[in-house]
Amino acid sequence: MEEKVAELVEAAKRGNDDAFYALMQLHKERLYRIAYSYLKNEQDSLEALQETTFRAYRSLRSLKEPNYFSTWLIRILLNYCADETARRKRPIEATVDGPQTGIGHEDRITLNAVIDRLDPRLRQVVVLKYYEDLTLTEVARVMECPEGTVKTWLHKALQSLRSQLGKEW
Amino acid sequence: MDHENELERIFEAEKDAFKHIPLSPHMDLHIELGIQKAKRLRRLRRRKWSACAAVAILFFSFIFSVRVSTSFASAVSRIPVLEQLVKLIGSDPGLTAAVENEFMQPIGLSQVHDGVKFTVDGIIVDEGRMNVFYTVESPEAYAKPADAGHFHMTDLSGRTLEATISYGSAGDDQEKGRILHNRVDINLVEGKVFPDRVILEAGITQSGEWKIEFPIDHTRFAHMKEKREINSKVEVAGQAFTIVRATIYPTRIAVEIAIDPSNSMQIFAFHNLELVNENGERLSSYLATGSGSDLRRTVYFQSNYFTRPKELYLTGEHIMALDKEQLELKLSLSEQKVLKAPTDQVSIESVQQTKNEWKITMKIKGLSDWDHHGYNIVGQSFHDAAGQAFEVSSGGGTLMEWSSHEDEETRYIYLPGEQAYADPLTFEITDYPTYISKPFKVRIK
């Protein structure tokens, strides 16, 4: 997939709109899910997808390394989501629609609520590493910081989660 | 058990729920809308701004192709902080002239939260329009400078001012540094006046909502407003409207138009209004309020207050209008076609039924190369053959496509899916690509 992405990026940079559209098609599900995990509803997540598309299209030429397109795109989305969540005065209702998993629904809500309260950067690390299965190198690229910093943040995030969830964790 | 591993196990379970977040059927539309928005902005850099929006928040990208005159440059250099803001004024000759005439009010008030510094550098303000120039400084640790957005303005009691607020993201060339300069353009509803002190609210990247209070020196623009009662009736193809008055402010000119209620046609919009002085210099409109069946419209233009034109004319050519007896569009879901419409420019491309809704894809064709209106064609409510009233579901939108041969637009309409509808459905037309094209000219001054 990476090779294909790089090829499409080159074409899109030359002004090929179909290539850009194809790139967005490849990434839309991932972007939407990440947006949803922050914004918790369809309308706002669609708005995030639209705004990310807009920003990516507009600044594609500034992307130097085509292979980094995926992480670059996620970074744009996360910046948007961080702004949106910071802007909101009302806390967001923390639920994830989905089938029941190993842990009870109640626990999931708690964990979600706690993740939502994390410092934005720590939260990003958690979402990317655990939900999106990005490698530490990729997370570092999204967040534009050294891998060592990502490790530190991840550690801090887990510590913070554990302390907030209580002793039983 | 190791706590961290335990947490990781929980995350595994959590991830499963994450993977099952239901996807929206509208993702593709919103990708297309995002691309469209980017392309539209790119076009705007070349085209004149011909905004035609109701009171709403507009986004725009500042245009950096500014011609800096020597007097302008010297005026700006006297206010060092504002020197870098020259670019932000863009192609608005009224704002440029305002700076040249030392009309800017320096403010220089800052707030710092979490290492981010937000400064209101200065304002260009008159009774009805304010441009706020601001700077956001981010700490070293930020990969990208923070920017402000989601602006609101209130008086000291917290009451939101009735205004249209426009702002854009800073230019791409600014994304590298830690300091970002930008402006926000606040247009009060015609006739309203700014209070002596205001509170600007801004959402700033990664640091939430900020509020900054600053004074407005009203003496700087007292008695500068010039109201000209015009009351000139214009008749084009049997349709009448009156240019009621023009109010000339230092930074904007508001032209109020009254539509004759006895017209046989509904006037949806005036397409390309301009103000022209005795030397043929043109000012474009940047905002318009009122549409559809509203009988009062206000169109806002850039200003030439400081250049004191001897004569000023309002000119226009294309009026979007439709016979009042044709304001109905009927379509059949089962036959997937338009049964009744004023012209054959609108057609149904497809009707798809998904679990939750009906998706109608409508094509709008035969558009002139100057016509990038973004047609809605129909409004929110409709009724079916049994006379029952319904509302469309949210998530619709219009996609504008430009190509070298023919311009067309695609409109998506979503109807709630749980309903059974009796064909055909009847919608009221809210805008339509039919124009009365005939030049007209009215003297304003």
Side-chain angles (χ1 to χ4, degrees), chain B residues 314-367:
Chain B
L314 173 74
T315 66
E317 185 171 356
H318 306 292
I319 301 171
M320 192 200 295
L322 194 59
D323 203 295
K324 283 178 182 168
E325 285 169 9
Q326 291 186 307
L327 294 172
E328 200 177 74
L329 185 138
K330 279 185 195 293
L331 61 87
S332 161
L333 286 180
S334 59
E335 293 175 55
Q336 307 202 359
K337 68 178 193 187
V338 172
L339 301 179
K340 183 188 171 198
T343 66
D344 58 6
Q345 287 159 284
V346 172
S347 59
I348 301 291
E349 185 134 288
S350 67
V351 176
Q352 289 157 282
Q353 189 177 13
T354 59
K355 199 170 63 192
N356 301 319
E357 58 198 5
W358 295 81
K359 176 187 179 185
I360 303 170
T361 307
M362 193 182 256
K363 274 268 183 239
I364 303 138
K365 289 183 181 163
L367 302 178

Side-chain angles (χ1 to χ4, degrees), chain B residues 176-204:
Chain B
K176 296 284 175 280
R178 283 194 308 113
I179 299 175
L180 193 141
H181 302 288
N182 215 335
R183 76 160 158 133
V184 48
D185 190 350
I186 298 147
N187 275 277
L188 289 186
V189 168
E190 184 52 23
K192 302 274 176 190
V193 178
F194 282 106
D196 292 339
R197 293 187 79 84
V198 289
I199 297 170
L200 178 70
E201 293 184 17
I204 295 184

Side-chain angles (χ1 to χ4, degrees), chain A residues 17 20-21 24-25 28-29 32-34 36-37 42-43 46-47 49-51 53-54 57-59 79 82-84 86-87 89 96-99 101-103 108 111-112 115 126 130-133 143-144 155 158 161-162 165 167 169, chain B residues 3-4 6-11 13-28 30-35 37-39 41-42 45 61 141 143-144 150 169-170 172 175-176 201 203-209 394-395:
Chain A
D17 284 349
F20 184 80
Y21 187 75
M24 293 310 298
Q25 285 296 323
K28 66 180 180 185
E29 295 192 3
Y32 183 83
R33 288 203 171 94
I34 295 177
Y36 200 99
S37 77
E42 179 183 356
Q43 207 54 49
L46 287 171
E47 192 66 31
L49 179 63
Q50 181 173 327
E51 190 60 23
T53 308
F54 164 68
Y57 187 98
R58 224 168 55 113
S59 47
N79 285 340
D83 291 354
E84 277 301 297
R87 194 176 63 78
K89 287 174 188 154
V96 168
D97 299 329
T101 52
I103 53 170
R108 270 225 316 280
L111 181 59
N112 249 298
I115 291 174
V126 168
Y130 291 109
Y131 291 2
E132 272 303 316
D133 278 337
M143 305 191 64
E144 292 185 317
H155 186 69
L158 295 178
L161 286 176
R162 202 167 51 228
L165 286 167
K167 283 210 170 63
W169 301 88
Chain B
H3 281 317
E4 235 156 75
E6 171 68 1
L7 256 178
E8 294 205 8
R9 194 185 64 75
I10 299 297
F11 278 131
E14 188 66 19
K15 192 168 84 189
D16 209 49
F18 181 78
K19 294 286 180 230
H20 285 89
I21 285 173
L23 293 170
S24 166
H26 304 143
M27 291 191 298
D28 291 351
H30 285 266
I31 288 172
E32 290 183 39
L33 287 171
I35 295 175
K37 187 177 153 198
K39 291 172 88 165
L41 278 178
R42 208 167 54 182
R45 284 169 205 268
S61 186
K144 210 181 130 180
H150 303 287
S169 54
D172 295 344
E175 282 177 11
K176 296 284 175 280
E201 293 184 17
I204 295 184
T205 325
Q206 297 183 34
S207 57
E209 192 115 341
S394 62

Side-chain angles (χ1 to χ4, degrees), chain B residues 15-186:
Chain B
K15 192 168 84 189
D16 209 49
F18 181 78
K19 294 286 180 230
H20 285 89
I21 285 173
L23 293 170
S24 166
H26 304 143
M27 291 191 298
D28 291 351
L29 170 62
H30 285 266
I31 288 172
E32 290 183 39
L33 287 171
I35 295 175
Q36 173 188 304
K37 187 177 153 198
K39 291 172 88 165
R40 191 165 51 215
L41 278 178
R42 208 167 54 182
R43 269 177 102 84
L44 272 178
R45 284 169 205 268
R46 289 194 297 264
R47 281 167 187 276
K48 279 190 299 290
W49 178 270
S50 61
C52 180
V55 175
I57 290 177
L58 303 177
F59 290 86
F60 61 90
S61 186
F62 293 120
I63 300 158
F64 286 112
S65 57
V66 64
R67 193 168 48 85
V68 183
S69 71
T70 43
S71 61
F72 178 64
S74 75
V76 163
S77 65
R78 283 197 290 278
I79 317 167
V81 188
L82 304 177
E83 198 168 353
Q84 292 142 1
L85 302 181
V86 178
K87 288 175 173 179
L88 298 176
I89 287 172
S91 57
D92 189 324
L95 293 183
T96 308
V99 174
E100 278 171 7
N101 287 275
E102 306 195 359
F103 195 63
M104 187 174 268
Q105 300 188 16
I107 302 287
L109 287 172
S110 300
Q111 270 186 18
V112 183
H113 288 314
D114 302 330
V116 179
K117 185 177 178 188
F118 178 67
T119 306
V120 172
D121 299 304
I123 52 177
I124 297 179
V125 60
D126 56 37
E127 264 181 44
R129 182 184 182 191
M130 182 193 303
N131 271 271
V132 181
F133 295 85
Y134 66 84
T135 302
V136 183
E137 278 177 70
S138 309
E140 295 282 358
Y142 278 37
K144 210 181 130 180
D147 195 5
H150 303 287
F151 291 96
H152 293 279
M153 186 165 275
T154 69
D155 61 16
L156 293 193
S157 67
R159 217 177 10 243
T160 300
L161 304 184
E162 279 179 70
T164 301
I165 297 183
S166 321
Y167 55 94
S169 54
D172 295 344
D173 56 338
Q174 289 204 50
E175 282 177 11
K176 296 284 175 280
R178 283 194 308 113
I179 299 175
L180 193 141
H181 302 288
N182 215 335
R183 76 160 158 133
V184 48
D185 190 350
I186 298 147

Side-chain angles (χ1 to χ4, degrees), chain B residues 397-441:
Chain B
T398 303
L399 188 64
M400 296 150 86
E401 292 158 89
W402 290 294
S403 61
S404 51
H405 52 286
E406 195 196 13
D407 288 354
E408 57 181 45
E409 294 182 2
T410 309
R411 161 85 156 113
Y412 299 92
I413 304 163
Y414 295 95
L415 312 182
E418 67 274 16
Q419 299 287 345
Y421 303 105
D423 252 350
L425 308 183
T426 306
F427 289 81
E428 191 191 337
I429 293 174
T430 55
D431 51 11
Y432 203 84
T434 44
Y435 284 84
I436 303 170
S437 293
K438 196 172 173 231
F440 60 90
K441 188 173 182 180

